[in-house]
Amino acid sequence: MATTRNSPEHSATQGPALENPHMSGLSLGDIRQQAEDCRRCDLYKHATQLVFGAGPENAKLMLVGEQPGDKEDLAGKPFVGPAGTVLTECLEEAGIEREACYLTNAVKHFKYEQRGKRRLHSKPNAGEVQRCSWWLGAELARLRPAVVVALGATAAGALLGRSIRVTKDRGRPLEVGSRFLIVVTIHPSYLLRIRDRLNANREREHFVADLRLANELLSGKIEPAARRQTR
């Protein structure tokens, strides 16, 4: 059968943060409380606070970003800065209520470089992402979402491993066993960095289409028979 943009094209290899069975019996509040004291890497030393995931415990759609930014670090909530505003707008365009989603990040502390009075985003390294995958895996095990959207390369790698590439795997539903589907796309902060308006509009439409795909998978509009299982 020929694959289409709206059918799961291939199965994904298991990533480091697929599920954390050690915490499957805990509530999100319990998991967050434990994460507050996390010392698995050194990022906690400089961040203002932990930024854990937010959303209903029965959410079937989970969105995973890279890490909290400056605004998120100060507020203690994910996606409340400029990129979060873009995400909220694009979710609405895709027919998705943000309040029904669970929003989190692969890394729970803000990593940055101090430039004068400004704190500039610094990409977390592979070790930091791997250590923080303990908490992402706990969130996955507790929520058991039907669809997960990986926002950007760091989130995709945390969920699916280093072989996943946004440019190659974007917009193709990846099935992880029979547990959930993952849709890989860009991080909304990318849209804020595009200077050319025409290109920015085109990329935004593409991003909304990826979110709409996740919503279609969630609603069952895509035939399950098209899926291929992970061995």
Side-chain angles (χ1 to χ4, degrees):
M1 177 185 295
T3 56
T4 66
R5 187 180 184 282
N6 291 337
S7 62
E9 187 160 331
H10 61 81
S11 298
T13 55
Q14 183 166 331
L18 286 183
E19 285 184 9
N20 182 347
H22 300 288
M23 295 190 175
S24 59
L26 300 180
S27 69
L28 286 175
D30 292 334
I31 297 169
R32 177 182 183 131
Q33 187 174 12
Q34 290 194 26
E36 292 282 358
D37 297 324
C38 181
R39 302 294 185 266
R40 298 177 69 85
C41 75
D42 290 336
L43 293 185
Y44 75 93
K45 294 181 179 180
H46 306 289
T48 303
Q49 58 191 313
L50 174 89
V51 181
F52 202 69
E57 292 208 17
N58 62 349
K60 294 303 179 184
L61 180 60
M62 181 175 181
L63 294 95
V64 182
E66 179 188 86
Q67 68 165 344
D70 181 73
K71 299 292 185 183
E72 289 78 9
D73 174 70
L74 296 173
K77 299 177 181 179
F79 291 97
V80 295
T85 299
V86 173
L87 177 60
T88 300
E89 294 171 351
C90 291
L91 283 169
E92 184 177 353
E93 291 177 34
I96 302 170
E97 294 184 9
R98 173 171 169 151
E99 293 74 16
C101 303
Y102 185 85
L103 306 179
T104 192
N105 286 292
V107 173
K108 312 300 189 193
H109 287 103
F110 180 35
K111 183 179 181 180
Y112 62 91
E113 296 179 6
Q114 193 76 45
R115 300 284 181 86
K117 294 183 178 180
R118 299 180 64 195
R119 302 190 301 172
L120 301 182
H121 165 275
S122 180
K123 186 180 178 67
N125 61 42
E128 291 160 346
V129 174
Q130 182 180 28
R131 290 181 181 91
C132 210
S133 68
W134 172 269
W135 304 113
L136 179 58
E139 290 172 301
L140 285 165
R142 178 63 186 89
L143 266 75
R144 303 189 65 83
V147 179
V148 178
V149 178
L151 301 168
T154 299
L159 288 162
L160 298 167
R162 297 181 182 180
S163 64
I164 297 297
R165 296 289 181 270
V166 174
T167 53
K168 174 174 64 74
D169 298 299
R170 182 179 183 181
R172 298 187 294 171
L174 308 177
E175 187 164 33
V176 182
S178 58
R179 287 166 288 179
F180 52 86
L181 291 166
I182 295 179
V183 175
V184 175
T185 186
I186 60 170
H187 193 283
S189 62
Y190 171 67
L191 300 176
L192 297 171
R193 299 194 297 269
I194 304 175
R195 296 185 179 272
D196 180 72
R197 179 171 296 182
L198 182 61
N199 187 30
N201 290 338
R202 181 167 55 247
E203 285 297 326
R204 183 182 175 114
E205 290 175 359
H206 192 178
F207 180 55
V208 171
D210 291 338
L211 296 176
R212 190 173 292 119
L213 167 62
N215 198 29
E216 290 173 349
L217 289 166
L218 192 63
S219 62
K221 291 182 179 179
I222 296 175
E223 289 295 326
R227 305 174 185 170
R228 284 164 47 183
Q229 300 291 328
T230 301
R231 292 183 179 179

